[in-house]
Amino acid sequence: MQELLYLEVPTPDTDHVRQWLHTSCDVSPGEKCITSDGFRIIFSPQTGKPASIQPAHEEQKVQSYEPEPENQAIATKAELHQLTVEGSSAEQPHLNRPSTSSELSIFIWSVQRTTYLKAFRWGDTPAPKENQILKRLTQGLRQQFPIEYPEPPEIDVSNQSIFDALKPYYPTTVKYFQRMPNGAYDLNRVYWWEKRWREGVRSPQLPRQVIFPVSDTVPPQSPPHPSSSPSRQTSESEDEFDLVYIGGALGVIHAAVMAQRGYRVLLIERLPFGRMNREWNISRAEFQSLIDLGLFTDEEFESLIACEYIDGFNKFFDANNPPQAKAPVLNTPTVLNIAIDAEKLLHRCGDRLKVAGGEIWDETEFEKAQIYSTHVEVCTKHLPSGDNRIARGRLLIDAMGTASPIAWQINQGRAFDSVCPTVGAIVSGGFPPGAWDAQYGDVLNSHGDISRGRQLIWELFPGRDGELTIYLFHYHQIHAENPGSLLEMYEDFFNILPEYRRCNMEKLTWRKATFGYIPGYFSTREKERTIAFDRLISIGDAASLQSPLVFTGFGSLVRNLGRLTHLLDTALKHDLLEADYLNQIRAYQSNIAVTWLFSKGMMVPTGTYQPPARINSMLNTFFGILEAESPDVADRFIKDRAGWISFNRMAIRAALKNPALLVWIWQLAGANDFIRWIGSYLSFTLYAVLGWLFQWVPTVTNALQPWLEPKFPKAYFWLLAQSYALFYNTGRSKSLFNSHSSQSSSG
């Protein structure tokens, strides 16, 4: 038996595919013998004429695996494939044909709401016109079942609920959102988020203008300089601040740290403050930076932990992979192993902000900002009342996340070039014994191959009191015809969750929906992406600050918080708030930039058909190399701290293990991005050399600070930014100057 063909048919309508195979697929010069999941093509020996076969009603059908109704135990794709092959094999005794006759077996199955097809040859020699038959089969399937990218419907919820409006299009999604507290509100958010994301992706050349420079207007009064006196001790109006943050998720963490340094801070949040669409996971070592910055004590951190699991698993489906692209489970016990009570953390940060003299305007929408030479005016609208309000500050900080109109404008429409559409839910109860042990997590897991143009990946993290937070996402190349859909992903999530973790969906308790677009930007050099304008800077997801592998914006911000805080504090003290200075307050790392090719290799280009197992094969090749390394190497790589030597060692080992890997990446990424990656690698190499040659610079900068900063603040700021760049680009992510960065700039 030899496998000849493996195709993804990008449709959940497997019955339609089966009907087409039975009635419309041309198999001449062979004889089609219908089976329950496809057909067989029988050829007589040598002549190619049909062999004698039993009547169709005597054919043994190919086995189909059905879940047990009691516990809804769903077969993995490997089990399904094995049963299907066994079913095809079982048909052989029913054939009245010479042992030398040729036969092709074509069958389909469904998993991940997608149809898959395989063709096998029974016999040692090719069947007559075998290639032509398979080519016609492939072309017919591509024509009859093309890749489609459904659009969310235009709906009007003024006269109906969001459930009634979306039920005809996403029935399973509506069914389970109706069982969630705040389900209607969250489903409205999902719909709004997708519509807004699509609008931004499809109008890249004409982003909505929200930033307006006003260089020729002199303001009546400027906010005081914090070095002269603390902001909160001045007689300014309540709407004048040093820092104005827009976005209350990642924004409040940074805002609280800056407020504790004596700056008067305003946080503007569109939602009721503290609401989260996602949960956060991190490790103890990473959270330590928040403790070092004085935002939390050790005891307070312990109170924020919802759950700490023993180990995390990384495993990609490999039943259809070639032998060199199979891999064991990679254990990462110190990666994302702490589940944080995100809403509790946000409220704690909000309390710190208020105690330090800051304010929070929630349920307030940002409309525009006017940039003056000495300050910025932020125009907002309070959503419940419709009242307009203006805030004045020395600096505006954009923390609005993926859909930030500021990021789109200052990057001229190219705010991001990749994204992870992510959906999920928090559930409790209902899992049968043995379905999952809540002491363990899934960091990265796939249970099938490419599905309707996406490689779906799961994450599962234990939470408080036996709850589980489950995510489904895919790496996605942003494209106007295919921006990526949260609603389609949710329909997949609720339908295929029992395939991933054996469960009865009716017995699960649904606590909360978790969703969002997590952006990425492939920077090949440090200043390629614009993160700042005069008196404006972006942080977090708005600055595409995320891990290129696990796309964790929260962890990336926390890892870089000491760096960003220290540089911003220094810039504010010396009023270095022009774009040239603010653009140096970035979290660029050349060791991260060089790894974006891995995430690029996990994206199926829009409109293309890829071998279904291709992405799983690539992932297993590299994760197999990681598994063979020491636990510390894997930990550092996934946490964006891989060094030049370890990266090159693993890359060489991967190429030797699977020589086809580079060809596969080339085919998925394309020539242009592959050439861009070469630039990233050269930059990474240069920084590695510079980091070794100038490893003394951070120490000297720290020693010179008392003398250099007061006399030559611009020179000190530049030297400080370069010191951080040298440090972080070698894979380290710890504050260099804790003694200085923890001081209040206004004290």
Side-chain angles (χ1 to χ4, degrees):
M1 181 179 69
Q2 180 179 352
E3 180 179 313
L4 303 178
L5 185 65
Y6 177 30
L7 296 177
E8 174 216 0
V9 186
T11 176
D13 192 352
T14 304
D15 289 338
H16 189 191
V17 178
R18 182 183 297 108
Q19 181 183 14
W20 183 88
L21 290 173
H22 287 173
T23 61
S24 303
C25 183
D26 178 14
V27 300
S28 59
E31 177 75 11
K32 182 187 293 186
C33 177
I34 302 299
T35 66
S36 62
D37 290 311
F39 56 82
R40 292 158 41 214
I41 309 174
I42 312 300
F43 304 89
S44 65
Q46 298 178 352
T47 65
K49 295 181 180 180
S52 173
I53 59 174
Q54 295 285 7
H57 68 274
E58 296 182 7
E59 285 296 315
Q60 178 169 333
K61 305 299 183 183
V62 178
Q63 296 182 35
S64 298
Y65 184 80
E66 297 293 340
E68 300 173 16
E70 178 63 28
N71 61 8
Q72 293 291 303
I74 306 297
T76 66
K77 188 178 172 187
E79 295 168 338
L80 178 65
H81 172 57
Q82 182 62 33
L83 288 167
T84 309
V85 172
E86 290 171 357
S88 297
S89 178
E91 296 175 356
Q92 299 313 301
H94 294 268
L95 286 175
N96 294 326
R97 60 182 176 87
S99 60
T100 57
S101 64
S102 299
E103 176 180 331
L104 301 182
S105 178
I106 288 86
F107 57 91
I108 59 172
W109 71 96
S110 176
V111 69
Q112 302 182 130
R113 294 184 71 231
T114 301
T115 306
Y116 298 91
L117 177 145
K118 280 194 174 185
F120 283 86
R121 179 204 303 141
W122 296 91
D124 298 327
T125 58
K129 298 188 177 180
E130 176 182 278
N131 291 336
Q132 292 92 322
I133 293 173
L134 296 179
K135 183 177 181 180
R136 289 199 305 269
L137 171 63
T138 302
Q139 291 175 341
L141 288 169
R142 297 289 186 247
Q143 183 176 0
Q144 187 68 25
F145 305 99
I147 298 177
E148 296 180 346
Y149 306 107
E151 295 281 331
E154 295 294 335
I155 61 174
D156 181 5
V157 295
S158 60
N159 297 316
Q160 60 181 336
S161 71
I162 188 68
F163 297 136
D164 291 337
L166 293 181
K167 188 174 182 178
Y169 309 95
Y170 310 102
T172 311
T173 300
V174 168
K175 175 181 177 180
Y176 290 107
F177 265 85
Q178 286 178 313
R179 301 182 181 184
M180 297 182 190
N182 302 309
Y185 177 88
D186 286 337
L187 189 54
N188 265 300
R189 284 282 298 163
V190 173
Y191 180 80
W192 172 86
W193 202 243
E194 178 161 344
K195 295 288 286 185
R196 185 166 180 176
W197 171 257
R198 287 175 177 271
E199 177 186 349
V201 170
R202 287 173 173 169
S203 303
Q205 303 305 317
L206 296 172
R208 180 166 63 97
Q209 185 173 5
V210 292
I211 301 300
F212 298 89
V214 189
S215 58
D216 57 347
T217 302
V218 179
Q221 180 183 0
S222 298
H225 196 288
S227 60
S228 59
S229 62
S231 315
R232 51 181 177 270
Q233 298 178 6
T234 67
S235 60
E236 67 191 62
S237 71
E238 64 174 358
D239 293 353
E240 292 184 346
F241 303 89
D242 296 308
L243 299 170
V244 178
Y245 287 78
I246 309 174
L250 294 178
V252 73
I253 301 173
H254 197 275
V257 173
M258 296 305 292
Q260 289 186 335
R261 275 150 182 73
Y263 296 102
R264 188 158 191 243
V265 173
L266 169 65
L267 180 74
I268 299 171
E269 169 58 65
R270 187 180 186 276
L271 301 176
F273 179 71
R275 288 295 302 271
M276 278 288 293
N277 296 330
R278 283 180 56 84
E279 295 299 300
W280 285 336
N281 280 69
I282 201 167
S283 67
R284 286 184 175 273
E286 292 170 307
F287 196 92
Q288 185 64 39
S289 65
L290 296 182
I291 298 174
D292 294 340
L293 287 166
L295 192 58
F296 296 100
T297 64
D298 291 329
E299 293 75 16
E300 288 171 331
F301 168 54
E302 295 297 329
S303 72
L304 296 174
I305 297 176
C307 182
E308 183 173 7
Y309 62 70
I310 295 174
D311 199 355
F313 306 131
N314 302 262
K315 184 70 183 83
F316 303 98
F317 182 73
D318 60 9
N320 297 303
N321 292 7
Q324 70 273 20
K326 295 179 182 288
V329 173
L330 171 65
N331 298 80
T332 51
T334 56
V335 173
L336 304 178
N337 62 306
I338 302 288
I340 296 294
D341 187 328
E343 294 190 358
K344 188 175 182 179
L345 181 144
L346 294 182
H347 284 289
R348 288 280 181 88
C349 290
D351 292 342
R352 297 284 193 279
L353 174 64
K354 293 175 181 177
V355 168
E359 295 184 25
I360 297 175
W361 296 356
D362 66 348
E363 297 186 87
T364 300
E365 186 165 32
F366 165 75
E367 293 189 331
K368 66 177 181 178
Q370 297 186 132
I371 308 294
Y372 296 85
S373 59
T374 56
H375 78 301
V376 57
E377 288 187 355
V378 183
C379 302
T380 69
K381 176 181 286 186
H382 185 240
L383 296 176
S385 66
D387 294 339
N388 296 317
R389 195 170 184 183
I390 296 177
R392 298 174 64 234
R394 295 176 60 207
L395 181 67
L396 173 63
I397 299 181
D398 173 20
M400 284 187 283
T402 307
S404 166
I406 293 176
W408 285 104
Q409 180 182 336
I410 65 177
N411 283 279
Q412 298 180 346
R414 193 196 168 205
F416 321 108
D417 49 18
S418 69
V419 70
C420 275
T422 303
V423 301
I426 300 175
V427 300
S428 65
F431 282 94
W436 189 253
D437 187 332
Q439 298 182 88
Y440 298 90
D442 256 354
V443 180
L444 295 169
N445 180 290
S446 66
H447 80 276
D449 290 327
I450 293 173
S451 168
R452 305 202 312 280
R454 307 154 306 164
Q455 178 59 67
L456 299 177
I457 298 175
W458 294 92
E459 290 181 321
L460 183 152
F461 301 115
R464 189 183 302 278
D465 300 326
E467 292 181 343
L468 294 176
T469 301
I470 305 173
Y471 297 111
L472 180 67
F473 69 95
H474 65 97
Y475 297 86
H476 185 63
Q477 180 183 12
I478 297 174
H479 192 285
E481 296 179 14
N482 179 26
S485 174
L486 295 180
L487 289 165
E488 284 292 318
M489 286 284 288
Y490 257 125
E491 196 70 3
D492 287 333
F493 175 85
F494 290 116
N495 277 283
I496 70 177
L497 178 58
E499 297 174 359
Y500 164 58
R501 290 294 161 216
R502 304 181 182 209
C503 61
N504 185 334
M505 297 288 284
E506 301 303 314
K507 294 182 179 181
L508 298 181
T509 302
W510 303 91
R511 300 294 188 189
K512 178 183 175 182
T514 57
F515 54 89
Y517 288 100
I518 307 175
Y521 185 96
F522 297 152
S523 298
T524 57
R525 58 185 185 276
E526 185 170 2
K527 295 184 179 180
E528 181 177 4
R529 175 179 169 81
T530 301
I531 62 161
F533 194 80
D534 289 349
R535 297 193 174 272
L536 183 155
I537 188 171
S538 299
I539 65 169
D541 287 337
S544 286
L545 174 57
Q546 89 295 307
S547 166
L549 188 61
V550 292
F551 272 51
T552 50
F554 170 62
S556 294
L557 178 72
V558 170
R559 286 192 291 272
N560 286 276
L561 196 60
R563 175 190 193 182
L564 297 176
T565 299
H566 190 190
L567 289 170
L568 182 58
D569 190 15
T570 304
L572 285 163
K573 279 200 297 182
H574 304 291
D575 206 34
L576 304 177
L577 303 181
E578 292 81 16
D580 288 345
Y581 298 105
L582 295 177
N583 263 310
Q584 297 179 53
I585 306 175
R586 61 174 64 236
Y588 173 84
Q589 294 176 231
S590 63
N591 66 323
I592 294 179
V594 79
T595 58
W596 64 252
L597 191 66
F598 293 100
S599 58
K600 183 72 175 180
M602 291 182 245
M603 303 175 194
V604 180
T606 294
T608 68
Y609 295 93
Q610 300 295 327
R614 177 59 49 82
I615 292 176
N616 277 325
S617 295
M618 293 171 59
L619 290 170
N620 276 303
T621 297
F622 195 76
F623 272 71
I625 299 300
L626 276 179
E627 194 276 335
E629 295 280 348
S630 68
D632 180 64
V633 171
D635 182 273
R636 292 179 62 84
F637 181 84
I638 295 178
K639 292 179 180 177
D640 304 332
R641 294 186 291 117
W644 188 87
I645 293 176
S646 62
F647 174 85
N648 280 276
R649 182 180 67 249
M650 289 186 291
I652 292 171
R653 289 184 60 191
L656 292 175
K657 178 181 179 182
N658 186 0
L661 188 63
L662 287 178
V663 176
W664 293 348
I665 294 176
W666 177 282
Q667 291 172 343
L668 284 169
N672 290 338
D673 278 327
F674 199 89
I675 293 171
R676 288 180 64 203
W677 178 82
I678 292 175
S680 296
Y681 177 77
L682 294 176
S683 175
F684 181 35
T685 302
L686 176 61
Y687 268 109
V689 173
L690 293 176
W692 179 75
L693 290 175
F694 298 100
Q695 55 188 302
W696 48 268
V697 169
T699 303
V700 171
T701 301
N702 199 19
L704 291 177
Q705 184 268 340
W707 169 82
L708 183 61
E709 183 178 4
K711 293 186 177 182
F712 304 100
K714 295 181 180 179
Y716 172 73
F717 178 81
W718 179 87
L719 195 58
L720 182 64
Q722 300 310 308
S723 297
Y724 271 111
L726 289 170
F727 192 81
Y728 274 69
N729 280 298
T730 56
R732 291 171 286 178
S733 56
K734 187 177 180 180
S735 180
L736 296 178
F737 309 94
N738 289 327
S739 61
H740 293 292
S741 62
S742 61
Q743 297 173 358
S744 169
S745 62
S746 62

